[in-house]
Amino acid sequence: MICFINNSFVPYRDATLHISDVGLQRGFGIFDYFISVNGAIPFFDDYLNRFYLSAEKLNLKVPFDRGDLKKKIYHLLNENKLAITGVKLLLTGGFADDLYTPTDPNFLIINIPVPNYSDTYSDGIKLLLLDYVRYLPEVKTTFYLPALSLLPELKRIGALETLYHHKGIVYETTRANFFIIKNGVLITPSEGILKGITRKHVLKVARLQMKVEERIVKLDEIFDSDEIFITGTSKHILPVVNIDGKIIANGRPGTITNKLAQDFKAYYQDQIDKK
Amino acid sequence: MICFINNSFVPYRDATLHISDVGLQRGFGIFDYFISVNGAIPFFDDYLNRFYLSAEKLNLKVPFDRGDLKKKIYHLLNENKLAITGVKLLLTGGFADDLYTPTDPNFLIINIPVPNYSDTYSDGIKLLLLDYVRYLPEVKTTFYLPALSLLPELKRIGALETLYHHKGIVYETTRANFFIIKNGVLITPSEGILKGITRKHVLKVARLQMKVEERIVKLDEIFDSDEIFITGTSKHILPVVNIDGKIIANGRPGTITNKLAQDFKAYYQDQIDKK
């Protein structure tokens, strides 16, 4: 397998960066992630829009314009010949002699396996609460330390991710957006979150069949909701049945969630077929 | 110059890590930093205590015990033959196939030049305010993105660092601890901060000559204080004369600050001479 670093395609096993990179030294980096299915990349432009937005918010210059970037990505996909693969773009603050001050960005494109959540759809997943709000939440920064430091605890209780909350308000999970359903209304946090691409399209599908509210969501409400799910690029729609040891509703994935997941699956397949 | 990566001393120019390191990919890393002066490392054990504490808080295992670690550090100093040098220890979550889940840590020791603040002591420095509190502030994590994204603005106004505050309380600056003097009392934040080694020893020196309070410090108080300074490993005691464009007292370094800086300098020199 090959990957792309700055201006070269190199074998992934040999892909290294000098240790003076400020992404490594100072956590100064942004990324994005999407999936290619048989050469089709659903919502490709949405992901690239977000990547360029993240870069702009941190004054990091993406070294290629969108046309060139797409060419590099398709070249990588052609070379690696993977039917289904994740594509990660990573942009850091570059090499710094003082291990601190950003210089010219380092830019990577990497193919990685798509995580498989298929065992979890029928039973739903557990989340753990974490008092934390991301800095610049609309920017896809690389800082996952708060959640990663809890991975041993997550493993112990069989939870998939942490749900971020602060002062009674819930935001997002580590790698997904968060939704509740109450009395047939779909409700999802509006602020303090990364604007997920899957979130956007799930909302589009949902609006055709139910009332949708994007607003502040209180921690109190979630334990009183009828159904809960999260959305993400690899996860699509994943039912949540337990948060911090508390069982949600009857502890099973909800019927509205399952219906929406099926509808989204068809909508997603359409994106692939259109290619 | 050489540096140390995992179990090898390698030329710094060739020092690379595979891009799957979760310090790079997910900002999962801790570090520490101290200075060697002619082979003496003032407060060496304090720094190592903090490094092991940071690692422990994130369940990261330092691959060497303290005795071995000291040997590696002294070996590096002997090889690089630098009279005065910074020493940076960096520990990340290791290489991850999924670019996410921490594995066996990667550990680096790097010699870097000590920043020179000598032109700033006589006139004092400016700070910029930033609404931010570090996650796990007692742990020296690598996440400096909030401050780094403000560097262009800092440069524009001639400020050295950002001062973190939240909901009316001040904490620390990007790379230093924060102190105010009011009516002859030295006051410094007690919580939500990294416990600086220079902070600790400045407090020790100060307690011999004035009243000291470690407590919550309100943003309101700072603009009404008589003198302000910050402390850090490379900075020692650095007077602050301007915060967010507002001039502190008469806009000149204070006399108590200057006296304390001289006393600390003598105390620091003692540490070197003792060697």
Coordinates of all heavy atoms in Angstrom, one line a residue, chain A residues 56-102:
Chain A
E56 N -8.5 26.7 7.1 CA -8.6 28.1 7.0 C -8.8 28.7 8.4 O -8.1 29.7 8.8 CB -9.9 28.5 6.2 CG -10.0 29.9 5.9 CD -11.3 30.2 5.2 OE1 -11.9 29.4 4.5 OE2 -11.9 31.3 5.6
K57 N -9.5 28.0 9.3 CA -9.8 28.5 10.7 C -8.5 28.5 11.5 O -8.4 29.2 12.4 CB -10.7 27.5 11.4 CG -12.2 27.6 10.8 CD -13.0 28.7 11.5 CE -14.4 28.7 11.0 NZ -15.2 29.8 11.4
L58 N -7.5 27.7 11.1 CA -6.2 27.7 11.8 C -5.1 28.3 11.0 O -3.9 28.2 11.3 CB -5.8 26.2 12.2 CG -6.8 25.6 13.2 CD1 -6.2 24.2 13.5 CD2 -6.9 26.4 14.4
N59 N -5.4 29.0 9.9 CA -4.4 29.7 9.1 C -3.4 28.7 8.5 O -2.3 29.0 8.3 CB -3.7 30.8 9.8 CG -4.6 31.9 10.2 OD1 -5.3 32.5 9.4 ND2 -4.7 32.2 11.5
L60 N -3.9 27.4 8.3 CA -3.0 26.4 7.6 C -3.4 26.4 6.2 O -4.5 26.3 5.8 CB -3.3 25.1 8.2 CG -2.7 24.8 9.6 CD1 -3.3 23.5 10.2 CD2 -1.2 24.6 9.6
K61 N -2.3 26.4 5.3 CA -2.6 26.4 3.9 C -2.5 25.0 3.3 O -1.5 24.3 3.5 CB -1.6 27.3 3.2 CG -2.0 27.7 1.7 CD -1.2 28.7 1.1 CE -1.2 28.6 -0.4 NZ -2.3 27.9 -1.0
V62 N -3.6 24.5 2.8 CA -3.6 23.2 2.1 C -2.8 23.4 0.8 O -3.0 24.3 0.1 CB -5.1 22.8 1.7 CG1 -5.0 21.4 1.1 CG2 -6.0 22.8 2.9
P63 N -1.8 22.6 0.6 CA -0.8 22.8 -0.5 C -1.4 22.6 -1.9 O -0.7 22.8 -2.9 CB 0.3 21.9 -0.2 CG -0.2 20.8 0.7 CD -1.3 21.4 1.5
F64 N -2.6 22.1 -2.0 CA -3.2 21.8 -3.3 C -4.6 22.4 -3.3 O -5.3 22.4 -2.3 CB -3.3 20.3 -3.5 CG -2.0 19.6 -3.4 CD1 -1.7 18.9 -2.3 CD2 -1.1 19.7 -4.5 CE1 -0.4 18.3 -2.2 CE2 0.1 19.1 -4.4 CZ 0.5 18.4 -3.3
D65 N -5.0 22.9 -4.5 CA -6.4 23.3 -4.7 C -7.3 22.0 -4.8 O -6.8 20.9 -4.9 CB -6.6 24.3 -5.8 CG -6.3 23.7 -7.2 OD1 -6.5 22.4 -7.3 OD2 -6.0 24.4 -8.1
R66 N -8.6 22.2 -4.8 CA -9.5 21.1 -4.8 C -9.3 20.1 -5.9 O -9.4 18.9 -5.8 CB -10.9 21.6 -4.7 CG -12.0 20.5 -4.5 CD -13.3 21.1 -4.5 NE -13.5 21.9 -3.3 CZ -14.4 21.8 -2.4 NH1 -15.4 20.9 -2.6 NH2 -14.5 22.6 -1.4
G67 N -9.1 20.7 -7.1 CA -8.9 19.9 -8.3 C -7.7 19.0 -8.2 O -7.8 17.7 -8.4
D68 N -6.6 19.6 -7.8 CA -5.4 18.8 -7.6 C -5.5 17.8 -6.5 O -5.0 16.6 -6.6 CB -4.2 19.7 -7.3 CG -3.6 20.4 -8.5 OD1 -4.0 20.0 -9.6 OD2 -2.8 21.3 -8.3
L69 N -6.2 18.2 -5.4 CA -6.3 17.3 -4.3 C -7.1 16.1 -4.7 O -6.8 14.9 -4.4 CB -7.0 18.0 -3.1 CG -7.2 17.2 -1.9 CD1 -5.9 16.6 -1.3 CD2 -7.8 18.2 -0.8
K70 N -8.2 16.3 -5.4 CA -9.0 15.1 -5.9 C -8.2 14.2 -6.8 O -8.3 13.0 -6.6 CB -10.2 15.6 -6.7 CG -11.3 16.2 -5.8 CD -12.6 16.4 -6.6 CE -13.8 16.8 -5.7 NZ -15.0 17.0 -6.5
K71 N -7.4 14.8 -7.6 CA -6.5 13.9 -8.5 C -5.6 13.1 -7.7 O -5.4 11.9 -7.9 CB -5.6 14.8 -9.4 CG -6.4 15.2 -10.7 CD -5.4 16.0 -11.6 CE -6.3 16.9 -12.5 NZ -5.5 18.0 -13.1
K72 N -4.9 13.7 -6.6 CA -4.0 12.9 -5.7 C -4.8 11.8 -5.1 O -4.3 10.6 -5.0 CB -3.4 13.8 -4.6 CG -2.8 15.1 -5.1 CD -1.4 14.8 -5.7 CE -0.7 16.2 -6.0 NZ 0.1 16.1 -7.2
I73 N -6.0 12.1 -4.6 CA -6.8 11.1 -3.9 C -7.2 9.9 -4.8 O -7.0 8.7 -4.5 CB -8.0 11.7 -3.2 CG1 -7.6 12.7 -2.1 CG2 -9.0 10.6 -2.7 CD1 -8.7 13.6 -1.6
Y74 N -7.6 10.3 -6.0 CA -8.0 9.2 -7.0 C -6.8 8.4 -7.4 O -6.9 7.2 -7.6 CB -8.7 9.8 -8.2 CG -10.2 10.2 -7.9 CD1 -10.6 11.5 -8.1 CD2 -11.1 9.3 -7.4 CE1 -12.0 11.8 -7.8 CE2 -12.4 9.6 -7.1 CZ -12.8 10.9 -7.3 OH -14.1 11.2 -7.0
H75 N -5.7 9.1 -7.6 CA -4.4 8.4 -7.9 C -4.1 7.3 -6.8 O -3.8 6.2 -7.2 CB -3.3 9.3 -8.1 CG -2.0 8.7 -8.5 ND1 -1.7 8.3 -9.8 CD2 -0.9 8.3 -7.8 CE1 -0.5 7.7 -9.8 NE2 0.0 7.7 -8.6
L76 N -4.2 7.7 -5.6 CA -3.9 6.8 -4.5 C -4.9 5.6 -4.5 O -4.4 4.5 -4.3 CB -4.0 7.6 -3.2 CG -3.5 6.9 -1.9 CD1 -2.0 6.9 -1.9 CD2 -4.0 7.7 -0.7
L77 N -6.1 5.9 -4.7 CA -7.2 4.8 -4.7 C -6.9 3.9 -5.9 O -7.0 2.7 -5.7 CB -8.6 5.4 -4.9 CG -9.1 6.2 -3.6 CD1 -10.3 7.0 -4.0 CD2 -9.3 5.3 -2.5
N78 N -6.5 4.4 -7.0 CA -6.2 3.5 -8.2 C -5.0 2.7 -7.9 O -5.0 1.5 -8.3 CB -5.9 4.4 -9.4 CG -7.2 4.8 -10.1 OD1 -8.1 4.0 -10.1 ND2 -7.2 6.0 -10.7
E79 N -4.0 3.2 -7.3 CA -2.8 2.5 -7.0 C -3.0 1.4 -5.9 O -2.5 0.3 -6.1 CB -1.6 3.4 -6.5 CG -1.1 4.3 -7.5 CD -0.2 3.6 -8.6 OE1 0.5 2.7 -8.2 OE2 -0.4 4.0 -9.8
N80 N -3.8 1.7 -4.9 CA -3.9 0.8 -3.8 C -5.0 -0.2 -4.1 O -5.1 -1.3 -3.4 CB -4.2 1.6 -2.5 CG -3.0 2.2 -1.9 OD1 -1.8 1.7 -2.2 ND2 -3.1 3.3 -1.2
K81 N -5.9 0.0 -5.1 CA -6.8 -1.0 -5.5 C -7.7 -1.6 -4.4 O -7.8 -2.8 -4.3 CB -6.1 -2.1 -6.3 CG -5.5 -1.6 -7.6 CD -4.9 -2.8 -8.4 CE -4.3 -2.4 -9.7 NZ -3.5 -1.1 -9.7
L82 N -8.2 -0.8 -3.5 CA -9.0 -1.3 -2.4 C -10.4 -1.0 -2.7 O -10.8 0.1 -3.0 CB -8.6 -0.6 -1.1 CG -7.1 -0.7 -0.7 CD1 -6.7 0.5 0.3 CD2 -6.8 -2.0 0.0
A83 N -11.3 -2.1 -2.6 CA -12.7 -1.9 -3.0 C -13.4 -0.9 -2.0 O -14.0 0.1 -2.5 CB -13.4 -3.2 -3.0
I84 N -13.2 -1.1 -0.8 CA -13.8 -0.2 0.2 C -12.6 0.2 1.1 O -11.9 -0.6 1.7 CB -14.9 -0.9 1.1 CG1 -16.0 -1.3 0.2 CG2 -15.4 0.1 2.2 CD1 -17.2 -2.0 0.9
T85 N -12.4 1.5 1.3 CA -11.3 2.0 2.1 C -11.7 3.4 2.7 O -12.4 4.2 2.1 CB -10.0 2.1 1.3 OG1 -8.9 2.5 2.1 CG2 -10.1 3.1 0.1
G86 N -11.1 3.6 3.9 CA -11.1 4.9 4.4 C -10.0 5.8 3.8 O -9.0 5.3 3.5
V87 N -10.3 7.1 3.7 CA -9.2 8.0 3.2 C -9.1 9.1 4.3 O -10.0 9.8 4.6 CB -9.6 8.6 1.9 CG1 -8.5 9.6 1.4 CG2 -9.9 7.6 0.8
K88 N -7.9 9.2 4.8 CA -7.6 10.2 5.8 C -6.7 11.3 5.2 O -5.6 11.0 4.7 CB -7.0 9.6 7.0 CG -6.7 10.6 8.2 CD -6.4 10.0 9.5 CE -6.2 11.1 10.5 NZ -6.0 10.5 11.9
L89 N -7.1 12.5 5.3 CA -6.3 13.7 5.0 C -5.8 14.3 6.3 O -6.6 14.5 7.2 CB -7.1 14.8 4.3 CG -8.0 14.3 3.1 CD1 -8.7 15.5 2.5 CD2 -7.1 13.7 2.0
L90 N -4.5 14.5 6.4 CA -3.9 15.1 7.6 C -3.0 16.3 7.3 O -2.2 16.2 6.4 CB -3.1 14.1 8.4 CG -2.4 14.5 9.7 CD1 -3.4 14.9 10.8 CD2 -1.5 13.4 10.2
L91 N -3.3 17.4 7.9 CA -2.5 18.6 7.7 C -2.0 19.1 9.0 O -2.7 19.4 9.9 CB -3.4 19.7 7.0 CG -2.7 20.9 6.5 CD1 -1.9 20.6 5.2 CD2 -3.8 22.0 6.1
T92 N -0.6 19.2 9.1 CA -0.1 19.7 10.4 C 0.6 21.0 10.2 O 0.8 21.5 9.1 CB 1.0 18.7 10.9 OG1 2.2 18.8 10.2 CG2 0.5 17.3 10.8
G93 N 1.1 21.6 11.3 CA 1.8 22.9 11.2 C 3.2 22.9 10.6 O 3.8 23.9 10.6
G94 N 3.7 21.7 10.2 CA 5.0 21.6 9.6 C 6.1 21.4 10.5 O 5.9 21.2 11.7
F95 N 7.3 21.4 10.0 CA 8.5 21.2 10.8 C 9.0 22.5 11.5 O 9.0 23.5 10.8 CB 9.7 20.7 9.9 CG 9.4 19.4 9.2 CD1 9.5 19.3 7.8 CD2 8.9 18.3 9.9 CE1 9.2 18.1 7.2 CE2 8.6 17.1 9.3 CZ 8.7 17.0 7.9
A96 N 9.3 22.4 12.7 CA 9.7 23.6 13.5 C 11.0 23.4 14.2 O 11.1 22.4 15.0 CB 8.6 24.0 14.5
D97 N 12.0 24.2 13.9 CA 13.3 24.1 14.6 C 13.2 24.2 16.1 O 13.9 23.5 16.9 CB 14.3 25.2 14.2 CG 14.8 24.9 12.8 OD1 14.7 23.7 12.3 OD2 15.3 25.9 12.1
D98 N 12.2 25.1 16.6 CA 12.0 25.3 18.0 C 10.9 24.3 18.5 O 10.5 24.4 19.7 CB 11.7 26.7 18.3 CG 10.3 27.1 17.7 OD1 9.7 26.3 17.0 OD2 9.9 28.3 17.9
L99 N 10.5 23.4 17.7 CA 9.5 22.4 18.1 C 8.2 23.1 18.5 O 7.4 22.6 19.3 CB 10.0 21.4 19.2 CG 11.3 20.7 18.9 CD1 11.6 19.7 20.1 CD2 11.4 20.0 17.6
Y100 N 8.0 24.3 18.0 CA 6.8 25.1 18.5 C 6.1 25.9 17.4 O 4.9 25.8 17.3 CB 7.3 26.0 19.6 CG 6.2 26.7 20.4 CD1 5.4 26.1 21.3 CD2 6.0 28.1 20.2 CE1 4.4 26.7 21.9 CE2 5.0 28.8 20.8 CZ 4.2 28.1 21.7 OH 3.2 28.7 22.4
T101 N 6.9 26.7 16.7 CA 6.3 27.7 15.8 C 6.0 27.1 14.4 O 6.8 26.6 13.7 CB 7.3 28.9 15.6 OG1 7.7 29.3 16.8 CG2 6.6 30.0 14.8
P102 N 4.7 27.0 14.1 CA 4.3 26.5 12.8 C 5.0 27.1 11.6 O 5.3 28.3 11.6 CB 2.8 26.8 12.7 CG 2.3 26.8 14.1 CD 3.5 27.5 14.8

